[in-house]
Amino acid sequence: MKVGIIGGAGMTGGELLRVVLNHPEVDIAYVHSRSQVGKPLHAVHKDLYGESDITFTGEIGEADVVFLCLGHGESVKFLEDNSFPSSTVIIDLSQDFRLGEGIVENRSMQLGDREFIYGLPEMQKDKIKSAKNIANPGCFATAIQIALLPLADAQKLNNEVHISAITGSTGAGVKLMASTAFTWRTSNISHYKAFQHQHLLEIGQSLNQLQNGFDHKINFIPYRGNFTRGILASCYLKSDLSQEEAVKLFKDYYADAAFTRVLDGPLDLKQVVNTNRGFISIEKHDDTLLITSAIDNLLKGAVGQAVQNMNLIFGLDEKTGLNLKPMAF
């Protein structure tokens, strides 16, 4: 497959390059950038020195699939200003196409003749297989949804949900900010966007898609962690399920999932960092069910999931190009 990457100079673009350069079924057609035209990839992504002789371009060429690695709000503008053949699959990693018009059974967003399907394989793999365009889920949204979808599917989300989740500094992107600087981030922690994080909208829409009429409050506190990559989310709610019943429910739901696994004990972040895995741990404390999930925000929360979606669309094994080793130490 010939792949085009738009926004290849950013953090997500760089991570995508690292994956597709080693994908056995992919040839990179072009890497587009508005700021780095004519420079080799390693001028920006220094770890790619010797891996490719491709240079950034300001032109758009032919490709079977185009990944949009642009900032939020930029993907819509780019597609309005640039046309692609209807046969070209578009996979957007921004939030521009994640939210459909209300809660609908066949959740999608439209831009002209292009219909974008929400690309969470754990929820709607069959729809992804037949999709022409994908709205890739957000990172926090992915971690939290894999912790809650089995309950919604079983109509067991019957109380408000409380979530605390922490993410690494790469979640903020490549642009330097005070809260991503080493001197601020190291030995430090803080919360942000309490109760109003933008990913709450897509989380709520997914839960409603599986459990029609779900209207309980989702109390979400995101934290900035003093590490570079990964998300650990702790979700808890009142539940009448026993721990054994909850574990069976989750394992049954994810029986055919390529990367999401339910562990029999506790989990930690390094089990998933540098992989496309989503790990889940379940505990019952009195009448409260605690579901902890962990993903790599740049892979399962972004690029890895985007490549997983591409594999599904083109009839490949989901794991192709994504058998990555975790950073255990």
Side-chain angles (χ1 to χ4, degrees):
M1 297 170 293
K2 293 188 180 298
V3 164
I5 298 174
I6 310 298
M11 189 170 289
T12 303
E15 191 74 357
L16 180 60
L17 282 165
R18 295 177 188 102
V19 172
V20 297
L21 279 169
N22 293 287
H23 193 294
E25 302 295 335
V26 163
D27 287 324
I28 299 177
Y30 60 89
V31 182
H32 182 278
S33 172
R34 287 172 288 196
S35 61
Q36 305 295 329
V37 175
K39 296 180 181 179
L41 299 183
H42 68 257
V44 176
H45 309 296
K46 299 186 184 302
D47 59 301
L48 295 183
Y49 186 85
E51 295 294 317
S52 173
D53 58 2
I54 296 173
T55 58
F56 290 104
T57 179
E59 303 297 322
I60 298 169
E62 294 183 2
D64 300 305
V65 55
V66 171
F67 292 92
L68 301 180
C69 302
L70 300 170
H72 301 313
E74 294 298 316
S75 292
V76 168
K77 294 177 185 177
F78 191 87
L79 291 178
E80 288 174 342
D81 295 339
N82 299 274
S83 61
F84 294 90
S86 59
S87 59
T88 300
V89 172
I90 304 291
I91 299 180
D92 179 40
L93 281 83
S94 80
Q95 67 182 15
D96 291 11
F97 301 103
R98 292 174 188 163
L99 300 176
E101 295 297 326
I103 308 302
V104 293
E105 182 178 352
N106 294 307
R107 171 183 182 177
S108 63
M109 271 285 286
Q110 295 281 150
L111 181 68
D113 294 331
R114 290 193 176 273
E115 179 186 31
F116 285 79
I117 299 299
Y118 189 66
L120 188 64
E122 288 78 5
M123 185 175 70
Q124 46 187 22
K125 185 183 296 186
D126 289 340
K127 291 179 183 176
I128 293 168
K129 288 179 179 179
S130 60
K132 291 297 295 180
N133 307 284
I134 294 291
N136 215 57
C139 52
F140 268 131
T142 297
I144 292 168
Q145 285 178 99
I146 65 171
L148 298 177
L149 291 180
L151 294 172
D153 185 63
Q155 314 300 299
K156 290 291 187 179
L157 272 181
N158 300 317
N159 287 286
E160 65 179 295
V161 182
H162 302 270
I163 304 164
S164 294
I166 188 166
T167 186
S169 58
T170 53
V174 72
K175 187 177 180 180
L176 183 63
M177 297 181 288
S179 60
T180 59
F182 177 82
T183 51
W184 189 93
R185 200 94 176 192
T186 192
S187 302
N188 201 6
I189 189 172
S190 65
H191 71 70
Y192 68 107
K193 296 183 180 178
F195 304 108
Q196 55 186 2
H197 195 279
Q198 66 271 17
H199 289 182
L200 280 169
L201 295 174
E202 60 185 284
I203 294 167
Q205 189 164 246
S206 293
L207 298 180
N208 235 299
Q209 190 171 335
L210 293 181
Q211 183 172 324
N212 188 32
F214 172 79
D215 60 357
H216 295 284
K217 191 173 182 181
I218 304 174
N219 305 288
F220 175 32
I221 309 293
Y223 289 88
R224 304 180 181 97
N226 63 343
F227 50 92
T228 56
R229 57 195 297 162
I231 289 176
L232 184 77
S234 296
C235 311
Y236 61 95
L237 70 157
K238 303 295 184 183
S239 174
D240 58 4
L241 292 171
S242 68
Q243 178 160 338
E244 292 74 18
E245 290 170 334
V247 168
K248 183 179 186 305
L249 177 68
F250 274 70
K251 287 189 174 182
D252 287 348
Y253 185 89
Y254 290 120
D256 297 324
F259 293 101
T260 301
R261 297 285 184 269
V262 181
L263 306 186
D264 291 324
L267 59 79
D268 63 79
L269 200 55
K270 281 188 175 180
Q271 290 174 286
V272 300
V273 169
N274 201 45
T275 77
N276 198 49
R277 298 172 178 176
F279 277 4
I280 297 168
S281 177
I282 297 170
E283 301 175 27
K284 187 68 186 290
H285 298 272
D286 297 327
D287 62 348
T288 299
L289 187 66
L290 170 64
I291 309 105
T292 304
S293 63
I295 66 167
D296 185 306
N297 58 294
L298 289 176
L299 286 165
K300 184 57 178 168
V303 165
Q305 188 155 232
V307 172
Q308 183 181 357
N309 285 325
M310 177 191 71
N311 288 340
L312 286 168
I313 292 171
F314 286 91
L316 302 175
D317 185 287
E318 284 176 80
K319 293 187 175 182
T320 305
L322 292 169
N323 289 307
L324 306 171
K325 184 186 78 67
M327 297 176 65
F329 304 105

